[in-house]
Amino acid sequence: DPTVGGITRENTKKDAGSDMGVRSALLSAILCCNTTLSKVKDPETGEEKWEPKGNSSEAPLVVAARKVGFDESIAKEYKRVLEIPFSSSRKMMLTVTDVSGRSEMCKDGMPLPQGTQLLSVCKGAPNFILDFCTEQLMEDGSAAPMTEADKKAVLDVVDAYSSKALRVLAIATRAFGSMPFDTEDEDLTTDQKFEACRKNLRLVGLVASIDPDRDGVPESVLAAREAGIRVVMITGDYLKTAIAIARNVNILQAQDDEAISAVDCARLRPDGKYLPNEQMDLLTSSVRVFARAKPEDKLEIVKSLQRQGAVTAMTGDGVNDAPALNQANIGVAMGIQGTEVAKGASDMILTDDNFCSIVAAVEKGRVIYAGIQKFVAFIMSVHIAEVMQIFF
């Protein structure tokens, strides 16, 4: 609910809604978002509630921005001239916005260099965005060079937040007098445009949010373990975030060694190529958490588990999940958040997008299977005498 709460400084607890850094970071985030927030009526209770429409990872940004007075309609004041969507390989989204005629981003916002016509905004994984940052926004609105020591300090903050199961996004900008590429050149690829716009970025801020565990998920994971089902998490999240979330939902338990049970997917392809089958199978046989995964990593993990004789069920919702959903013995697509491509590649569609429903379905399926076994055994035992008479 964007109408409840506010933004305060951690140490003094004073209102920070008018801070230049806060306003600049949240406005930049909104300019690089496609998610909206609106009130809807619950069909069961009749109560109104706030519901995001779009990417769930952007919803906290929209809520936070509304708390300082920015809503999605502000996009009408800032014309978007270019959008390069998030991809699992780039790990970030980029937009270019027309800010001509402005000396600052917004009221009480970051000053813009003289002659600025366009503003590029990057939003995504901190360790990827920091690679392209050469400046950082200071508290007084000035820009300072960003050294390797500064980048390490930022990553230490990211680690601290990630260890609390928070998902951290970095927000960075760059001001242009004109587009850094030839807009008339139709042969330019999206990657070439992206490369031109992401250079010499200025880090504006970090945003951390939490995706609360659904009710019943930790218990369902434990029930799956007791039923002999190994639950593996494959995520694009930062490793420390993935470990913290896995601990919260019992995918990783107290006795599990993080160094063995959780890995960054870069270990699957140390030199850019995937490990040989034997080494890959040895690694996947003990790992329960795969972080910073690319779509192709999911497919290789499924293949590896199948080589080990495991019957795999893979869940997914995006277009990039389709190959792994198709490869798995049972592909399970999300019915609410899932794309049509994912649904088409899957064997089952989960209507409520809830992991607990999968465990409940397995339990009922086993009951039905056991019932069939008992029925067949009963029929055979009752009629075995008649069969014996036919042959003897």
Side-chain angles (χ1 to χ4, degrees), residues 126-325:
N127 53 334
F128 281 75
I129 285 184
L130 285 173
D131 287 341
F132 305 111
C133 288
T134 57
E135 294 181 343
Q136 56 185 322
L137 178 66
M138 307 305 290
E139 194 167 358
D140 61 0
S142 63
M146 191 158 206
T147 64
E148 290 302 319
D150 292 329
K151 292 181 180 181
K152 184 181 182 305
V154 172
L155 289 175
D156 287 342
V157 173
V158 173
D159 284 346
Y161 283 131
S162 298
S163 62
K164 298 176 183 178
L166 293 170
R167 290 194 171 112
V168 187
L169 295 175
I171 312 293
T173 65
R174 181 188 173 191
F176 300 112
S178 60
M179 275 291 193
F181 56 85
D182 184 1
T183 56
E184 301 298 324
D185 187 353
E186 297 181 356
D187 294 329
L188 281 176
T189 65
T190 299
D191 286 336
Q192 288 172 323
K193 294 177 182 179
F194 176 67
E195 186 176 350
C197 294
R198 74 182 181 190
K199 294 178 180 177
N200 302 321
L201 297 176
R202 175 187 297 181
L203 181 68
V204 177
L206 300 174
V207 182
S209 62
I210 190 166
D211 188 4
D213 311 327
R214 284 196 175 190
D215 292 339
V217 170
E219 294 78 12
S220 292
V221 172
L222 288 178
R225 274 199 173 196
E226 292 171 0
I229 300 170
R230 177 181 161 208
V231 181
V232 176
M233 184 169 78
I234 308 174
T235 175
D237 283 333
Y238 197 62
L239 180 59
K240 286 185 176 290
T241 303
I243 290 173
I245 293 172
R247 292 261 182 219
N248 289 346
V249 298
N250 292 323
I251 291 176
L252 288 179
Q253 295 186 319
Q255 67 270 23
D256 293 324
D257 185 354
E258 291 179 6
I260 297 174
S261 300
V263 300
D264 189 302
C265 281
R267 282 185 56 185
L268 304 179
R269 34 182 166 74
D271 56 356
K273 295 182 179 180
Y274 285 103
L275 296 169
N277 289 350
E278 295 77 11
Q279 295 180 33
M280 178 73 80
D281 294 350
L282 182 64
L283 183 63
T284 59
S285 64
S286 58
V287 174
R288 294 183 182 274
V289 177
F290 294 91
R292 286 296 179 205
K294 295 181 178 180
E296 51 268 31
D297 295 334
K298 299 177 184 179
L299 179 60
E300 293 300 322
I301 293 167
V302 169
K303 287 180 178 178
S304 175
L305 294 172
Q306 288 175 328
R307 285 196 298 269
Q308 298 168 52
V311 176
T312 61
M314 172 76 186
T315 62
D317 57 8
V319 173
N320 292 331
D321 293 327
L325 288 170

Side-chain angles (χ1 to χ4, degrees), residues 345-384:
S346 64
D347 302 292
M348 295 173 57
I349 297 176
L350 198 60
T351 56
D352 61 358
D353 290 8
N354 196 332
F355 177 81
C356 301
S357 299
I358 298 176
V359 177
V362 171
E363 183 178 359
K364 290 182 179 180
R366 291 188 176 184
V367 169
I368 293 170
Y369 184 73
I372 293 173
Q373 284 182 312
K374 291 174 182 177
F375 174 75
V376 171
F378 172 76
I379 291 297
M380 291 298 293
S381 61
V382 168
H383 297 287
I384 190 69

Side-chain angles (χ1 to χ4, degrees), residues 81 96-97 114-120 174-183 196-197:
V81 296
V96 178
T97 304
Q114 188 174 1
T116 298
Q117 300 292 319
L118 301 167
L119 185 71
S120 172
R174 181 188 173 191
F176 300 112
S178 60
M179 275 291 193
F181 56 85
D182 184 1
T183 56
C197 294

Side-chain angles (χ1 to χ4, degrees), residues 102-113:
R102 298 179 182 272
S103 59
E104 57 183 6
M105 281 192 67
C106 59
K107 183 183 176 182
D108 299 326
M110 177 179 69
L112 297 174

